[in-house]
Amino acid sequence: MEGKYDFGLIGLGVMGRNFILNVADNGFSAFGYDLDQEKVAALKEEGGHEAKVNASTNIKTFVQALKQPRKIMLLVPAGKIVDSVIESLLPHIDRGDIIIDGGNSFFTDTDRREAYLHDKAINFFGAGVSGGAKGARLGPSIMPGGSKSAYQHIKPIFEAVSAKYKGEPCVAYLGPKSSGNYVKMVHNGIEYGLMQLTSEVYDLLKKAGNFSNEEMHDTFSKWNQGRLQSFLVEITSKILEQKDELGADKGHLVDQILDKAKQKGTGKWTSQNAMDLGIPVPSIDIAVSMREISALKAERTEAEKLYGRPEVAILDKEELAKLTEEALYFSFIITYAQGLHQLADASREYKYDLDIATIAKIWRAGCIIRAGLLADITEAFEADKDLPNLLLSPNFVEKIKGTVTSARTLVAHAAKNGIPMPGLTNSLTYFDAYTSSRLPLNLIQAQRDFFGSHTYERLDQEGIFHTEWE
């Protein structure tokens, strides 16, 4: 059995099992490892012939089964367990072998691990994998970063198992060190923003248009056939028609789901790192905050009793559907623009040398934020690889001009009627601030100089100035 298998995978939970079966389906032999005998047995049973897929609970048996240089992927929870698995591998692997972390590890942890293993002549990759369990089985978007020369050993496998967009694999070498994990982190931050925006539109249709679940299902389905075509819009339409099998009235399941959204931290990491870099991502920031507000269910319920809710003015359904489609399209563009701006700045700061067009390309299929819009984004960055912000692309000016008025209308209506739409509001505020040549921050600089002698610059002459205000 020694040295027979092309690919190894540690962690045979749903994601790991699906990914390794995907590898085997695409012509590569694969060997799995897990401490849980039941998971090992389940993989063997589902994988069929042992020459194609095999597994063990013994780490030495696992390592010896792999061809050199060994290509070992970890699909285990981020954190200390990744370090633990790496340490368990080190006595058995050889110089030149490749370890790939496919989890959502924080990018600085990846840099630390990469440096640690580099000293031992082991190649380490952080490879973000997006698409959920179904994507892992049928084709995810994969975002690898690490040694460019070592990537050639894993490239054939990753290109075979990844999702395809018009025949192009949704995977590409992104850059050195933690670039892959960083790109996946920002992908997830954008995901937070898009999910928040989609939920706000759902809420607005329901409260300001009296849309039934069936009508909203039809509306989202129609949108998914147009410029809003995306995975999140598609699954929203499906969620809205799902019947509740447990409830007594057998109504729609979505109405019985508790309005407390959980999170695993990648959105928060995106927001925190954007602040470290000085890059504004307010659509992502507020999406994280709204999940935190949603957790305050008991307090929210008590507060509503104290303050009540305004009576909502109902809008014409056809007109509201038109406005929400345009506003959602507008805010999707803004959210992508913020995330890609962060990637471009991080690339310079951390010396990743990211190609934004390539990133947009590999997001076009397989991943959670896949959308028709990404084809246009790819074109924008192919036309100008140094584009600082998507809003400065000539390709997007008319798209924004044609939809921003609807965003203004809905933000105003929501504010007047007490419907929280922080994602759309923050997207609009970001747009208005980014497109303003003059902001009132001159007053803030004057205040800072007044109370702290922090100095200021002038419009009419060069230099740094301070005034004795009193």
Side-chain angles (χ1 to χ4, degrees):
M1 186 175 70
E2 188 164 342
K4 282 173 37 178
Y5 291 83
D6 300 314
F7 184 79
L9 193 141
I10 295 177
L12 300 179
V14 176
M15 279 287 288
R17 185 175 73 251
N18 283 352
F19 195 93
I20 201 169
L21 291 170
N22 184 1
V23 170
D25 284 347
N26 281 281
F28 297 93
S29 56
F31 202 99
Y33 168 78
D34 201 291
L35 293 173
D36 188 333
Q37 180 61 52
E38 288 186 8
K39 291 178 180 176
V40 167
L43 176 65
K44 286 183 175 183
E45 183 178 350
E46 193 170 352
H49 198 282
E50 71 172 27
K52 183 178 176 185
V53 178
N54 207 339
S56 175
T57 58
N58 184 288
I59 193 74
K60 186 175 181 180
T61 300
F62 166 74
V63 171
Q64 289 181 345
L66 303 175
K67 295 177 183 176
Q68 292 181 299
R70 299 178 181 93
K71 296 164 281 293
I72 301 171
M73 187 166 185
L74 282 52
L75 278 173
V76 299
K80 292 181 180 179
I81 192 169
V82 176
D83 295 304
S84 176
V85 172
I86 290 171
E87 290 303 319
S88 71
L89 283 169
L90 285 177
H92 308 290
I93 59 178
D94 296 302
R95 296 169 67 89
D97 285 348
I98 303 165
I99 299 175
I100 308 156
D101 178 11
N104 284 325
S105 291
F106 191 51
F107 72 100
T108 56
D109 288 337
T110 300
D111 284 332
R112 171 177 57 79
R113 291 167 185 144
E114 193 267 346
Y116 172 66
L117 291 170
H118 182 268
D119 289 343
K120 302 177 184 300
I122 305 295
N123 296 293
F124 185 73
F125 277 80
V129 179
S130 178
K134 188 174 181 181
R137 185 70 180 86
L138 302 177
S141 173
I142 311 175
M143 297 154 248
S147 163
K148 192 169 187 178
S149 59
Y151 180 68
Q152 301 310 309
H153 295 290
I154 57 178
K155 179 180 178 181
I157 298 174
F158 274 9
E159 289 192 347
V161 303
S162 69
K164 307 298 185 295
Y165 180 85
K166 296 183 178 178
E168 290 186 64
C170 289
V171 61
Y173 174 77
L174 296 179
K177 302 184 298 180
S178 59
S179 55
N181 279 129
Y182 192 93
V183 170
K184 178 57 163 52
M185 179 187 78
V186 174
H187 164 285
N188 285 20
I190 294 171
E191 178 185 306
Y192 272 57
L194 302 183
M195 291 173 75
Q196 174 63 31
L197 290 162
T198 308
S199 74
E200 291 177 11
V201 164
Y202 152 77
D203 197 35
L204 192 67
L205 290 171
K206 191 173 183 179
K207 291 177 178 174
N210 282 336
F211 275 69
S212 67
N213 288 323
E214 290 88 351
E215 288 171 323
M216 286 190 284
H217 159 72
D218 292 341
T219 299
F220 277 92
S221 295
K222 181 180 178 182
W223 289 350
N224 194 50
Q225 304 306 312
R227 60 184 175 178
L228 276 173
Q229 183 276 317
S230 60
F231 176 70
L232 290 172
V233 170
E234 177 188 347
I235 67 169
T236 300
S237 72
K238 293 178 179 178
I239 288 167
L240 287 163
E241 68 173 347
Q242 180 68 44
K243 294 293 185 178
D244 181 12
E245 299 300 326
L246 296 179
D249 62 0
K250 302 300 180 186
H252 287 89
L253 177 57
V254 69
D255 296 326
Q256 297 303 322
I257 296 176
L258 182 65
D259 55 324
K260 287 170 64 173
K262 298 181 180 180
Q263 54 184 317
K264 292 187 176 180
T266 45
K268 178 182 70 175
W269 294 344
T270 305
S271 182
Q272 288 173 332
N273 183 250
M275 290 186 183
D276 291 339
L277 293 171
I279 299 298
V281 292
S283 300
I284 296 170
D285 295 339
I286 198 62
V288 176
S289 294
M290 283 303 292
R291 295 199 187 189
E292 292 162 349
I293 291 174
S294 79
L296 307 175
K297 176 68 172 178
E299 294 174 41
R300 291 190 286 115
T301 301
E302 183 61 26
E304 182 172 327
K305 292 176 184 175
L306 292 172
Y307 294 100
R309 306 298 307 147
E311 185 175 339
V312 177
I314 304 302
L315 300 175
D316 174 76
K317 285 185 176 180
E318 186 175 339
E319 177 62 16
L320 181 58
K322 177 179 180 296
L323 290 170
T324 49
E325 188 274 342
E326 292 175 354
L328 190 58
Y329 184 68
F330 164 83
S331 54
F332 270 24
I333 293 173
I334 297 297
T335 305
Y336 281 112
Q338 292 171 18
L340 296 173
H341 186 191
Q342 181 172 345
L343 285 177
D345 197 78
S347 180
R348 290 187 291 272
E349 179 71 19
Y350 304 129
K351 298 179 172 54
Y352 289 150
D353 195 26
L354 298 175
D355 185 307
I356 305 300
T358 296
I359 293 168
K361 273 185 177 182
I362 66 173
W363 286 350
R364 292 178 300 180
C367 70
I368 303 301
I369 65 169
R370 62 184 183 263
L373 187 57
L374 282 160
D376 297 328
I377 292 172
T378 299
E379 289 181 12
F381 283 96
E382 284 180 336
D384 181 0
K385 69 180 182 65
D386 297 319
L387 185 68
N389 192 300
L390 191 61
L391 297 184
L392 297 178
S393 167
N395 298 354
F396 276 84
V397 172
E398 292 308 314
K399 298 180 196 300
I400 291 289
K401 284 184 175 180
T403 53
V404 65
T405 300
S406 293
R408 296 191 194 287
T409 300
L410 292 185
V411 165
H413 186 78
K416 287 180 181 178
N417 290 275
I419 302 172
M421 295 196 74
L424 182 57
T425 302
N426 271 20
S427 297
L428 181 60
T429 299
Y430 171 87
F431 171 76
D432 283 334
Y434 189 80
T435 57
S436 295
S437 62
R438 181 75 165 159
L439 291 171
L441 282 295
N442 53 319
L443 179 60
I444 290 177
Q445 281 302 90
Q447 291 171 331
R448 293 179 73 247
D449 190 54
F450 190 109
F451 66 68
S453 300
H454 292 301
T455 72
Y456 56 87
E457 296 171 90
R458 297 178 59 94
L459 292 171
D460 57 351
Q461 51 191 290
E462 295 289 324
I464 302 298
F465 298 85
H466 166 63
T467 294
E468 293 297 332
W469 296 89
E470 291 183 298

